[in-house]
Structures are given as C-alpha cells and as structure tokens.
C-alpha cells in the first residue's frame, strides 16, 4: 500500500508537468488535489512506520523472524507436497523441479536481514522524523522545522524504499511456491520512466501509475461541454 500511496501523488504531478491543458483543468478544483497530495503522503508515511518501526506489531522484522522459524516449510518435502496439490501421484516434471530448486538456510535469513537493515537506515533518516514528530504527534509546528523534518531524504530513496518491500514480498512468495532463491530483483521505480512507458507491469506501483495515466488522459481529453468553469459551475449548453 505504501507504494500505491506514494505513486498516486507523484504520477499526478508528473502528468501535470507534461500538459498545460491538464494543469489548467486540475486547477479548477485545487482544494481536492491539494488534499489528495497531502492524504497520499501522510498515508504512505504511516504505512512505512508500521512496517519499519520496531515497536509495530506489523514490522518487517516479524516477517523475517517468521521466515527463520519456519524454514521447514521451505524444505524439499514441503515444496513437493505443495506442488502435488493434494494429488496422490506426483506430476512427471516434479523431481526435475525439486532438483533445481533452492532450499533456504540461515545464510538466506542473514542475507535478507542485512537488506532490511540497509533500508531501515533509509527509513530512520528520511521518514521516521516526519512520521513521529509531525504526522503522529505534532511535536513540531514551526514551518521551517516541519520542512526540515521532511527534508531528510530524497524522492529517489523513498521510491526505492517502497519498491524494496514489494521485491521482498515477491522473493519470499517465489521461494515458498516455486523453490526459487529469495533474490531481491531490482524493480523500476522512476515515475517518469514508468509513466512514459507504453506498458506498465502488475506491480502495485506500476499498476497505480497505469490507473492515474488513464484518469489523466480522460481529464485532458474531456469535451469542452463537460468541462467546468473556474467557479465550479458547468458551462451552459443546449438542453
């Protein structure tokens, strides 16, 4: 969800930067789009706090702990049982699949913990201060101080932080269901690159950008009779 919240706002901002027509139309309802941007950012920061804050019951360490304490679920025998899907006879391809599959050990756990620690450091520097001292508790009210809280990181880091979470999910899913080693494969994270691409993948952030792209296209190409005046009233037309 964090990725969808973040990219929901950034995709709109990118679309507007490409079209003066679209900018003018969004400016007909500025309060809505300002609320949309603010709500998206706050939701993303709260979501990331739940994932990376060590006091959260949903934190990412609990996921890795569960992986470590349930390595038996990733064994050859367990994978074989899942692939048989309750059938008494195993499919002909199963043994070959089991031979080439990876069965995780403590080394895999250590490797994933190391990656989590790397990204938690980004969270602690770029997200946690604003999340704890402004969004959650309003410890800071002065405009300059609030800006400083949000200035601890770069947009690129925020994008990589949320796409890391999806990469981790994919890696563990593939390990459990298909016996593929839990490798964290890089994902596209550039809003510009994804938005301008002819095709977006099913990854949450790319699917969200695809939705925003469709919406922005509809808004930009709406017929004049369906547009609104700046005062919020429909343009007069024949009835």
């Amino acid at each position: 969800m964090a990725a969808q919240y973040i990219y929901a706002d950034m995709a709109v901002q990118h679309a507007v930067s490409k079209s003066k027509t679209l900018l003018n139309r969004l400016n007909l309802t500025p309060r809505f789009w300002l609320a949309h941007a603010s709500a998206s950012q706050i939701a993303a920061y709260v979501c990331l706090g739940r994932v990376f804050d060590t006091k959260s019951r949903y934190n990412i360490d609990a996921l890795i702990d569960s992986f470590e304490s349930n390595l038996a679920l990733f064994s050859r025998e367990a994978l074989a049982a899942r692939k048989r899907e309750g059938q008494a006879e195993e499919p002909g391809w199963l043994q070959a699949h089991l031979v080439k599959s990876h069965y995780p050990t403590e080394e895999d756990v250590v490797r994933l913990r190391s990656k989590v620690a790397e990204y938690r450091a980004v969270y602690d520097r770029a997200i946690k201060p604003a999340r704890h001292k402004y969004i959650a508790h309003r410890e800071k009210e002065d405009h300059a101080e609030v800006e400083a809280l949000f200035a601890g990181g770069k947009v690129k880091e925020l994008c990589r932080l949320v796409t890391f979470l999806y990469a981790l999910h994919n890696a563990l899913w593939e390990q459990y269901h298909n016996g593929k080693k839990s490798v964290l494969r890089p994902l596209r994270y550039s809003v510009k690159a994804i938005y301008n691409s002819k095709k977006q993948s099913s990854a949450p952030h790319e699917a969200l950008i695809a939705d925003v792209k469709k919406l922005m296209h509809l808004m930009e190409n709406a017929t004049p009779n369906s547009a609104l005046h700046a005062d919020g009233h429909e343009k007069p037309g024949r009835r």
Side-chain angles (χ1 to χ4, degrees):
M1 292 304 297
Q4 294 189 56
Y5 293 139
I6 289 170
Y7 283 88
D9 176 45
M10 292 197 299
V12 171
Q13 298 298 328
H14 176 70
V16 168
S17 73
K18 291 164 57 70
S19 168
K20 188 173 182 179
T21 298
L22 184 58
L23 174 61
N24 290 336
R25 291 190 172 181
L26 264 61
N27 276 337
L28 295 175
T29 53
R31 283 181 291 272
F32 170 79
W33 293 106
L34 288 173
H36 170 268
S38 178
S40 296
Q41 184 180 51
I42 290 173
Y45 275 52
V46 170
C47 187
L48 288 170
R50 289 181 175 178
V51 173
F52 285 102
D53 194 325
T54 56
K55 295 181 180 179
S56 168
R57 62 184 296 185
Y58 306 102
N59 80 81
I60 196 169
D61 291 310
L63 173 64
I64 303 301
D65 289 344
S66 178
F67 175 52
E68 181 176 24
S69 61
N70 291 282
L71 286 177
L73 294 178
F74 297 85
S75 67
R76 181 186 179 112
E77 294 73 20
L79 178 61
R82 287 193 289 277
K83 288 300 184 182
R84 282 197 295 269
E85 298 181 335
Q87 302 298 316
E89 295 184 7
E90 65 180 42
W93 51 263
L94 181 57
Q95 288 303 315
H97 181 83
L98 295 175
V99 168
K100 66 179 183 180
S101 293
H102 176 77
Y103 304 102
T105 66
E106 286 292 334
E107 290 185 4
D108 295 279
V109 176
V110 171
R111 175 172 51 82
L112 292 181
R113 285 196 191 281
S114 176
K115 295 302 294 184
V116 168
E118 177 184 332
Y119 282 92
R120 173 173 275 115
V122 176
Y123 166 79
D124 287 343
R125 170 173 50 79
I127 306 299
K128 186 176 180 178
R131 195 270 183 197
H132 281 34
K133 296 183 179 181
Y134 180 71
I135 293 174
H137 303 295
R138 284 296 193 276
E139 292 181 18
K140 302 293 184 181
E141 296 288 349
D142 178 75
H143 180 72
E145 291 182 325
V146 173
E147 278 196 337
L149 290 176
F150 283 93
K154 300 177 181 178
V155 172
K156 177 180 178 180
E157 292 178 315
L158 185 59
C159 292
R160 295 196 66 178
L161 187 64
V162 295
T163 53
F164 157 71
L165 296 178
Y166 182 63
L168 178 61
H169 169 272
N170 268 1
L172 292 176
W173 193 96
E174 289 288 352
Q175 177 67 83
Y176 181 79
H177 289 282
N178 296 317
K180 293 184 178 180
K181 187 174 182 179
S182 52
V183 176
L184 302 177
R185 306 188 185 284
L187 300 171
R188 291 197 300 182
Y189 61 84
S190 166
V191 177
K192 179 179 178 180
I194 298 171
Y195 194 100
N196 294 345
S197 174
K198 292 183 178 180
K199 186 176 181 180
Q200 288 75 42
S201 76
S202 60
H205 65 300
E206 293 208 17
L208 193 286
I209 289 177
D211 284 350
V212 171
K213 191 173 181 178
K214 291 177 184 177
L215 176 60
M216 296 297 105
H217 176 77
L218 291 173
M219 295 182 68
E220 184 176 14
N221 294 281
T223 59
N225 286 339
S226 66
L228 298 176
H229 283 304
D231 61 3
H233 296 295
E234 291 187 8
K235 285 184 176 181
R238 294 181 179 178
R239 295 183 180 273

